[in-house]
RNA sequence: UGGGUUAUGGUGUAAAGGUAGCACAACAGAUUUUGAUUCUGUUUGUCAAGGUUCGAAUCCUUGUAACCCAACCA
C-alpha cells in the first residue's frame, strides 16, 4: 500500500483554511517576470503552485509580472508559456500585471486621497540618504507633508508625462523610522518613458513590484500567494496595502528557493553567461534552464518527480545534482530505446568470419518486452569502443585484451588474438576469432564470459556528431568560491565528437527522441540534427562502477 | 551592534511530548548478454549548554551559527 505522504507546511495551512471554512476553494498563481528563461528553480515553484491547484481542486493562474518595461520582452513570455506546458501544467487564466495598470493607478489615487501617499521630488541619492540603515532610523523630508490636492495634481502630471525619468516618484506614507526598511515610505510608482511589450506607450509611470503584486493577487482573488523567502520582509507592506486599500485579502506564504550543486540559479547570472558567450544561448544544454534541460534530453516527468522529492520547507537548501540525475535515469531507464553507438571507434576484424558474409541479428529495444526488438546486421569488420580494449589489462578487467574473450552484445563471443599498432603507438585494428556456436539466443558453446561490449557493423554504420556535456562549473558552489563565479567554469563542459558511429536504425531519429546508447549513457537527438547530419546530445551518463573501481586504484 | 527567518546523517525531507523514519549519496554483496537495471545489507543525524517531565528533535531558559532586508529590480 502506498504510504501516506506527510503534508508540507503550505499544504497544512491550506487544509486548515479549508477545514475552518476560511475558504471554500483555493487559488494560486505562478507569477514570473518575463525577463529571462525559466530555470529548474522555477520548476519547483511551478510544481508547487500548479500542484496545489490540482490537489485541492482550485485554480492556478499564470500571471506575467510585467511592471518593468525595460527588462521585459515577448520572447520571454513565449518561452515561459512553452516551458510550463512542457512541464505538463495548464493554467486557468493567462494574465498580465500590465492589464491592471488602470486599476493600479486608481488604487494609487485612492491612497493619495487617504493621505497615505505623496509625490517626492528627491533624487534617488537623496531618498537613499534619508532612508537610514538597518540600524539607524530614516528621516522625513519636506515633500512628505504635501497636501492631498497638491499630490493629486502632481501625480496626474506624472502620468501625463510632464516629468522626465527620475524627477519624481510616488511614495506610500508609512513610517520613516520603521524597523522594516521596506516600510520606510516605499516608492510605489516611478517614471519610465519606455515602451512596454504589451501596453506600448500608453504609460510613462509604472508601479513598483510592491504596489503591483499583492494588488494583482487581490484582483484575481488569489487565496494563497506563494513566493520565496527573500520576500518575507515584503509581507508587512503587502498586508498594509491590502488593508489600506480595503481590497480582497490575499495572503503571502514563503518557501525556500531551490539551490543546486554545480550551477547558479539567478536570472542575472544566467543572462551574463549568455551575453558573454560562455554558452551558446538560454537553451544551451549546459544551462539550468528548462529549455536547456529539454534540449539535453531530460523528461518533464523526471523534473516533476525531482520537485516532488526535494520537498517544500523554509530552510535554506543545497540539493545534490545527483538527485536530479537519479530521477532522470529512473525515468529514462523505462522509456529510452536501447541502441548501439561507438563514440571512439577502433576496428575489430573477425579473422575466421567469412569475407563478404552478412547476417541479421535481433536485439531487444529495452528491458521492457513491450518495446520490441530490432534487427542488426553483423559482418567480418566491426567498430568497437577504443576504451573497451586494453593491451595490458588492469586488475579485474573483463573487457577485451590479448587472449581475452568477451561477448559482442546480441551477437557472438569473440577472442582477441592480436592487434596492430601504428608507428605512433596507436592501436589501429584488433584481430579476433569468433565462436560460431555462441550466437545470442542460440548459444550452445557452453562458454561464459564476464564482459559484454557494444559494437556497430562497419558495413552499415552511420556517422554522427555526438555532443558530450558535462557540468558547466567545476565547483559545487560557484557562488561560494572566492572571486567571480565564472572563474569556476568547467573548460571541458562540452566535448564534440564529430566521427561517432551509430547503428543504422538511428537514421530516422527525430528531434527530442531519447535513446540509451548501450553502456555509454542516455542521449537525445538535438534540434540541429538532420537525416544528412545526425547530432546527438548526451543527456546523462550511466552509473559507472568501473570508473569508480579505476578511481580507487 | 536594528528587524526578520531558519537550525534533524554528506545532501534533502518526515516524526504535532512516546521506537529518530524515508530518499539521494557513499560503502559491501547477489543477479546480469549494458561494470547499466534489479535485489540485499552497512555506515552516518536531532546546533550547544542548562532546565521541566516517567519520557524531549518537539516545551522553557540562555547562548551559537547561517540566510534575508538600506534598486526609481522582481
Amino acid at each position: 500500500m502506498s504510504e501516506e505522504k506527510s503534508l508540507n507546511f503550505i499544504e497544512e495551512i491550506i487544509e486548515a483554511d479549508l477545514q475552518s471554512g476560511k475558504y471554500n476553494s483555493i487559488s494560486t498563481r505562478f507569477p514570473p517576470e518575463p525577463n529571462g528563461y525559466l530555470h529548474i528553480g522555477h520548476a519547483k515553484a511551478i510544481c508547487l503552485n500548479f500542484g496545489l491547484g490540482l490537489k485541492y481542486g482550485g485554480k492556478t493562474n499564470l500571471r506575467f509580472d510585467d511592471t518593468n518595461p525595460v527588462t521585459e520582452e515577448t520572447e520571454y513570455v513565449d518561452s515561459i508559456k512553452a516551458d510550463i506546458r512542457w512541464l505538463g501544467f495548464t493554467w486557468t487564466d493567462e494574465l498580465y500585471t500590465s492589464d491592471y495598470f488602470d486599476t493600479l493607478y486608481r488604487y494609487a489615487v485612492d491612497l493619495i486621497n487617504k493621505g497615505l501617499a505623496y509625490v517626492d521630488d528627491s533624487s534617488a541619492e537623496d531618498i537613499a540618504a534619508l532612508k537610514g540603515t538597518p540600524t539607524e532610523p530614516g528621516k522625513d523630508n519636506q515633500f512628505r507633508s504635501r497636501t492631498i490636492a497638491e499630490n493629486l495634481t502632481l501625480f496626474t502630471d506624472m502620468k501625463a508625462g510632464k516629468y522626465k525619468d527620475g524627477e519624481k516618484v510616488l511614495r506610500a506614507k508609512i513610517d520613516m523610522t520603521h524597523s522594516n526598511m521596506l516600510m520606510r515610505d516605499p516608492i510605489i510608482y516611478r517614471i519610465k518613458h519606455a515602451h512596454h511589450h504589451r501596453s506600448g506607450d500608453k504609460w510613462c509611470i509604472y508601479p513598483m513590484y510592491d504596489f503591483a503584486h499583492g494588488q494583482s493577487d487581490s484582483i484575481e482573488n488569489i487565496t494563497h500567494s506563494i513566493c520565496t523567502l527573500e520576500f518575507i520582509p515584503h509581507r508587512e507592506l503587502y498586508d498594509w496595502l491590502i488593508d489600506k486599500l480595503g481590497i480582497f485579502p490575499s495572503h503571502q506564504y514563503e518557501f525556500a528557493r531551490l539551490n543546486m550543486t554545480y550551477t547558479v540559479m539567478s536570472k542575472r547570472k544566467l543572462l551574463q553567461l549568455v551575453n558573454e558567450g560562455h554558452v551558446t544561448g538560454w537553451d544551451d544544454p549546459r544551462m539550468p534552464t528548462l529549455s536547456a534541460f529539454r534540449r539535453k534530453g531530460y523528461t518533464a516527468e523526471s523534473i516533476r518527480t525531482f520537485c516532488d522529492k526535494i520537498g517544500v520547507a523554509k530552510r535554506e537548501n543545497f540539493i545534490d545534482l545527483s538527485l536530479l540525475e537519479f530521477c532522470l535515469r529512473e525515468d529514462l531507464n523505462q522509456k529510452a530505446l536501447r541502441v548501439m553507438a561507438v563514440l571512439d571507434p577502433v576496428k575489430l576484424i573477425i579473422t575466421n568470419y567469412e569475407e563478404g558474409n552478412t547476417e541479421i541479428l535481433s536485439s531487444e529495444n529495452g528491458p521492457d518486452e513491450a518495446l520490441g526488438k530490432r534487427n542488426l546486421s553483423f559482418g567480418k569488420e566491426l567498430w568497437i569502443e577504443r576504451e573497451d580494449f586494453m593491451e595490458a589489462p588492469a586488475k579485474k578487467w573483463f573487457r577485451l585484451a590479448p587472449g581475452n574473450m568477451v561477448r559482442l552484445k546480441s551477437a557472438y563471443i569473440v577472442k582477441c588474438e592480436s592487434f596492430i599498432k601504428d608507428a605512433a603507438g596507436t592501436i589501429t585494428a584488433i584481430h579476433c576469432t569468433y565462436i560460431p556456436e555462441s550466437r545470442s539466443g542460440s548459444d550452445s558453446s557452453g562458454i561464459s564470459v564476464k564482459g559484454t561490449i557494444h559494437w556497430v557493423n562497419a558495413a552499415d554504420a552511420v556517422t554522427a556528431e555526438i555532443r558530450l556535456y558535462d557540468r558547466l562549473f567545476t565547483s559545487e558552489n560557484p557562488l561560494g568560491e572566492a572571486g567571480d563565479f565564472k572563474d569556476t567554469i568547467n573548460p571541458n563542459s562540452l566535448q564534440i565528437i564529430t566521427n561517432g558511429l551509430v547503428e543504422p536504425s538511428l537514421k530516422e531519429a527525430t528531434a527530442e527522441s531519447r535513446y540509451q546508447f548501450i553502456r555509454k549513457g542516455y542521449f537525445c537527438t538535438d534540434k540541429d540534427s538532420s537525416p544528412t547530419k545526425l547530432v546527438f546530445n548526451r543527456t546523462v551518463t550511466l552509473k559507472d562502477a568501473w570508473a569508480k573501481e579505476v578511481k580507487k586504484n
Side-chain angles (χ1 to χ4, degrees):
Chain A
M1 287 281 29
S2 69
E3 237 163 75
E4 207 170 297
K5 213 188 162 218
S6 50
L7 303 178
N8 66 47
F9 79 99
I10 295 176
E11 291 170 325
E12 278 176 1
I13 290 167
I14 290 175
E15 295 203 357
D17 286 348
L18 255 16
Q19 223 152 57
S20 71
K22 182 173 176 184
Y23 303 115
N24 294 319
S25 65
I26 64 150
S27 295
T28 59
R29 102 271 89 117
F30 175 63
E33 181 188 14
N35 66 345
Y37 279 62
L38 259 25
H39 54 62
I40 185 80
H42 292 110
K44 178 178 182 181
I46 291 168
C47 291
L48 214 209
N49 278 295
F50 284 95
L52 255 16
L54 253 18
K55 178 168 183 178
Y56 296 104
K59 67 171 188 179
T60 303
N61 289 338
L62 168 59
R63 183 174 70 234
F64 289 97
D65 213 340
D66 55 352
T67 58
N68 186 357
V70 303
T71 56
E72 296 151 7
E73 292 174 29
T74 305
E75 177 199 347
Y76 297 132
V77 170
D78 295 338
S79 76
I80 288 168
K81 284 157 63 175
D83 287 343
I84 297 171
R85 283 200 199 96
W86 176 71
L87 263 187
F89 295 105
T90 309
W91 47 88
T92 309
D93 292 315
E94 177 182 332
L95 302 162
Y96 296 80
T97 302
S98 54
D99 290 339
Y100 307 140
F101 281 168
D102 286 296
T103 309
L104 263 13
Y105 179 80
R106 270 189 274 116
Y107 287 163
V109 170
D110 183 30
L111 227 46
I112 294 172
N113 277 320
K114 287 173 173 158
L116 295 172
Y118 62 97
V119 172
D120 192 328
D121 302 357
S122 311
S123 67
E125 299 72 48
D126 290 344
I127 288 178
L130 287 185
K131 194 141 203 174
T133 68
T135 50
E136 294 165 50
K139 291 190 182 71
D140 295 357
N141 66 19
Q142 71 269 34
F143 305 110
R144 200 174 198 272
S145 50
R146 286 218 248 237
T147 64
I148 290 173
E150 191 183 1
N151 281 319
L152 244 19
T153 308
L154 256 14
F155 190 51
T156 306
D157 289 349
M158 279 170 63
K159 182 192 180 213
K162 286 198 183 173
Y163 306 108
K164 292 198 280 290
D165 289 10
E167 259 184 38
K168 288 185 167 41
V169 290
L170 183 70
R171 293 230 252 169
K173 194 172 180 174
I174 307 179
D175 178 2
M176 287 304 289
T177 66
H178 205 287
S179 58
N180 180 350
M181 298 288 291
L182 277 152
M183 298 296 277
R184 322 244 260 228
D185 290 9
I187 293 168
I188 57 177
Y189 259 95
R190 79 288 215 189
I191 300 169
K192 271 182 198 276
H193 291 273
H195 187 82
H196 187 279
H197 73 110
R198 295 192 97 240
S199 64
D201 298 311
K202 180 180 175 189
W203 296 88
C204 63
I205 57 171
Y206 292 92
M208 296 285 288
Y209 166 85
D210 285 305
F211 198 69
H213 204 100
Q215 287 65 18
S216 301
D217 286 338
S218 180
I219 290 167
E220 293 171 27
N221 283 275
I222 301 301
T223 53
H224 300 263
S225 177
I226 300 163
C227 61
T228 46
L229 253 29
E230 64 270 28
F231 289 96
I232 288 177
H234 293 254
R235 189 175 60 224
E236 194 169 12
L237 179 53
Y238 183 106
D239 291 339
W240 187 90
L241 286 164
I242 281 179
D243 176 54
K244 298 304 177 197
L245 257 12
I247 55 181
F248 178 83
S250 296
H251 290 281
Q252 175 184 302
Y253 302 93
E254 310 88 6
F255 71 98
R257 72 182 324 136
L258 167 68
N259 297 294
M260 205 165 61
T261 54
Y262 298 107
T263 193
V264 295
M265 215 74 92
S266 98
K267 275 194 210 169
R268 218 192 89 244
K269 296 201 169 58
L270 296 179
L271 183 64
Q272 227 178 106
L273 292 172
V274 172
N275 287 344
E276 296 175 13
H278 300 288
V279 294
T280 58
W282 285 98
D283 70 344
D284 184 303
R286 292 165 292 182
M287 292 281 276
T289 58
L290 295 179
S291 49
F293 279 121
R294 176 168 66 236
R295 183 172 177 188
K296 196 172 171 184
Y298 275 64
T299 59
E301 172 77 29
S302 68
I303 291 176
R304 279 187 266 122
T305 305
F306 171 72
C307 290
D308 188 52
K309 280 187 196 285
I310 58 177
V312 177
K314 296 192 80 148
R315 101 180 66 121
E316 297 287 346
N317 58 79
F318 199 54
I319 312 266
D320 269 343
L321 174 62
S322 59
L323 179 60
L324 211 209
E325 293 184 338
F326 167 81
C327 297
L328 210 217
R329 291 192 182 104
E330 186 184 44
D331 190 31
L332 251 18
N333 182 45
Q334 307 291 319
K335 293 174 176 166
L337 296 178
R338 268 55 172 184
V339 294
M340 292 201 277
V342 176
L343 308 195
D344 184 11
V346 64
K347 187 64 77 66
L348 182 144
I349 299 165
I350 304 173
T351 52
N352 62 340
Y353 198 85
E354 196 188 327
E355 187 85 46
N357 190 23
T358 294
E359 60 188 300
I360 302 300
L361 304 168
S362 176
S363 189
E364 73 281 358
N365 289 329
D368 184 353
E369 281 189 22
L371 293 171
K373 293 178 175 254
R374 72 189 183 292
N375 289 332
L376 292 170
S377 76
F378 183 84
K380 186 181 179 73
E381 294 200 5
L382 309 173
W383 294 105
I384 64 165
E385 208 70 64
R386 184 171 291 279
E387 65 169 20
D388 283 340
F389 176 80
M390 225 175 159
E391 187 180 338
K395 256 195 292 178
K396 293 192 195 166
W397 176 262
F398 38 88
R399 303 181 193 174
L400 215 49
N404 253 19
M405 288 198 284
V406 296
R407 175 172 291 282
L408 296 171
K409 171 72 183 169
S410 297
Y412 296 94
I413 293 174
V414 293
K415 180 178 183 185
C416 174
E417 307 288 355
S418 62
F419 58 92
I420 299 172
K421 244 185 202 179
D422 66 12
T426 307
I427 290 163
T428 55
I430 297 162
H431 290 206
C432 291
T433 51
Y434 83 117
I435 317 288
E437 306 79 49
S438 66
R439 182 170 156 148
S440 282
S442 56
D443 185 347
S444 60
S445 70
I447 301 171
S448 72
V449 293
K450 277 204 193 129
T452 299
I453 64 172
H454 60 282
W455 53 276
V456 293
N457 188 359
D460 63 8
V462 179
T463 303
E465 176 172 316
I466 298 172
R467 299 173 182 171
L468 303 180
Y469 293 101
D470 198 356
R471 42 184 69 126
L472 223 205
F473 296 95
T474 54
S475 167
E476 266 205 345
N477 183 10
L479 300 180
E481 304 291 333
D484 192 273
F485 76 101
K486 285 175 279 146
D487 295 346
T488 72
I489 286 180
N490 177 5
N492 306 318
S493 59
L494 170 60
Q495 183 196 346
I496 298 177
I497 291 172
T498 53
N499 59 342
L501 291 166
V502 303
E503 59 172 74
S505 70
L506 249 24
K507 269 192 283 197
E508 287 108 61
T510 53
E512 289 185 26
S513 303
R514 300 187 182 89
Y515 303 94
Q516 184 194 104
F517 289 0
I518 290 178
R519 304 207 305 131
K520 296 311 292 179
Y522 292 100
F523 290 78
C524 113
T525 324
D526 189 72
K527 65 178 185 184
D528 292 344
S529 190
S530 72
T532 52
K533 191 202 175 196
L534 293 173
V535 180
F536 296 96
N537 296 321
R538 183 171 68 195
T539 312
V540 67
T541 58
L542 259 24
K543 288 221 296 202
D544 192 346
W546 174 246
K548 270 187 195 169
E549 186 66 34
V550 171
K551 223 182 228 173
K552 267 191 289 184
N553 301 326

